[in-house]
Amino acid sequence: DTAVSQTPKYLVTQMGNDKSIKCEQNLGHDTMYWYKQDSKKFLKIMFSYNNKELIINETVPNRFSPKSPDKAHLNLHINSLELGDSAVYFCASSPRNGLGAQHFGDGTRLSIL
Amino acid sequence: GQQVMQIPQYQHVQEGEDFTTYCNSSTTLSNIQWYKQRPGGHPVFLIQLVKSGEVKKQKRLTFQFGEAKKNSSLHITATQTTDVGTYFCAELFQGAQKLVFGQGTRLTINP
């Protein structure tokens, strides 16, 4: 059973489009995250939610809007995609807010044409 | 800003050689975590260090936390091709409730 699953795995789209990535965890964790990994492998946190409440918003453009309908799900919607949004987006979860090992999904590879 | 510095950025070794990556901070670390990311894969948690001077081992991997809690290292003895990947240290900022990752060390191995 996959602990943290995100869909889609690959996303290729045109500049200016709107797209969504979904994430679900079955670990019973309270906290979920979105990370962006650029082409140089630098891994940077974007958002975190604890029990559906937004905890961290790391100066991400407001074209990115996370939503957590319940503590097992955290989705990411991106409006007006730009070339610089091309990256791998990872969802992760951890047992308590910021503490403990983080469990990552397989990533969504977003390519903007 | 909040950042841990990780060196080297790249390391290429012959299979069987040892490998070490270092993580340094100008401030005291509350705790540090290490992750491994295989090529095309996702980061996988390896270990968490909390205590000053702590040393933990996992088979051929040895993790150390400095006495002053300002640095950490991961040492791999007798590397194998399965060790290929990028190794990240990550600092936990408890006040901000987030992990900040180092830049990673990419390990490649010549079989």
Side-chain angles (χ1 to χ4, degrees):
Chain A
D1 287 339
T2 305
V4 181
S5 58
Q6 53 182 108
T7 56
K9 191 163 183 172
Y10 299 96
L11 197 47
V12 181
T13 190
Q14 302 273 359
M15 207 165 50
N17 284 350
D18 304 338
K19 289 294 177 186
S20 292
I21 309 172
K22 295 187 174 183
C23 181
E24 176 181 3
Q25 55 96 3
N26 63 6
L27 296 167
H29 289 168
D30 286 338
T31 310
M32 295 185 72
Y33 312 83
W34 279 111
Y35 287 88
K36 180 180 180 181
Q37 186 170 49
D38 61 24
S39 57
K40 294 184 178 180
K41 295 290 191 184
F42 187 56
L43 198 60
K44 191 173 184 340
I45 189 166
M46 300 171 68
F47 302 102
S48 79
Y49 272 74
N50 187 59
N51 250 324
K52 303 191 296 176
E53 181 186 352
L54 178 66
I55 300 297
I56 294 171
N57 180 342
E58 281 288 296
T59 60
V60 178
N62 57 17
R63 297 184 294 105
F64 291 78
S65 50
K67 277 193 182 164
S68 182
D70 56 62
K71 76 173 193 176
H73 295 85
L74 179 61
N75 304 323
L76 183 64
H77 186 76
I78 316 170
N79 287 326
S80 303
L81 281 157
E82 300 177 357
L83 288 174
D85 297 332
S86 293
V88 181
Y89 293 84
F90 286 103
C91 176
S93 71
S94 68
R96 290 174 293 159
N97 203 354
L99 301 175
Q102 295 201 3
H103 297 253
F104 284 78
D106 288 339
T108 296
R109 283 147 185 83
L110 174 62
S111 299
I112 311 301
L113 303 176
Chain B
Q2 299 166 327
Q3 192 173 6
V4 287
M5 301 304 294
Q6 193 172 350
I7 54 170
Q9 193 175 357
Y10 301 97
Q11 185 79 60
H12 181 77
V13 300
Q14 287 289 126
E15 189 176 13
E17 290 180 341
D18 293 355
F19 159 76
T20 306
T21 173
Y22 301 90
C23 196
N24 299 301
S25 173
S26 57
T27 59
T28 303
L29 304 165
S30 59
N31 78 40
I32 198 141
Q33 297 182 4
W34 285 91
Y35 290 78
K36 176 185 177 181
Q37 184 177 17
R38 287 203 160 102
H42 59 272
V44 174
F45 173 79
L46 295 176
I47 209 152
Q48 176 171 283
L49 304 172
V50 178
K51 298 177 184 174
S52 166
E54 192 169 15
V55 177
K56 287 188 176 180
K57 292 192 175 185
Q58 289 178 353
K59 296 183 181 178
R60 294 178 296 103
L61 276 61
T62 302
F63 303 85
Q64 291 191 324
F65 204 4
E67 291 289 345
K69 297 183 75 173
K70 287 189 175 183
N71 57 75
S72 181
S73 65
L74 158 58
H75 179 83
I76 303 179
T77 304
T79 54
Q80 299 174 358
T81 54
T82 52
D83 295 326
V84 162
T86 302
Y87 292 84
F88 293 96
C89 63
E91 177 182 1
L92 175 65
F93 285 86
Q94 284 185 312
Q97 300 173 351
K98 67 179 182 181
L99 275 183
V100 175
F101 282 79
Q103 301 93 324
T105 296
R106 186 174 176 184
L107 173 64
T108 53
I109 298 175
N110 213 17

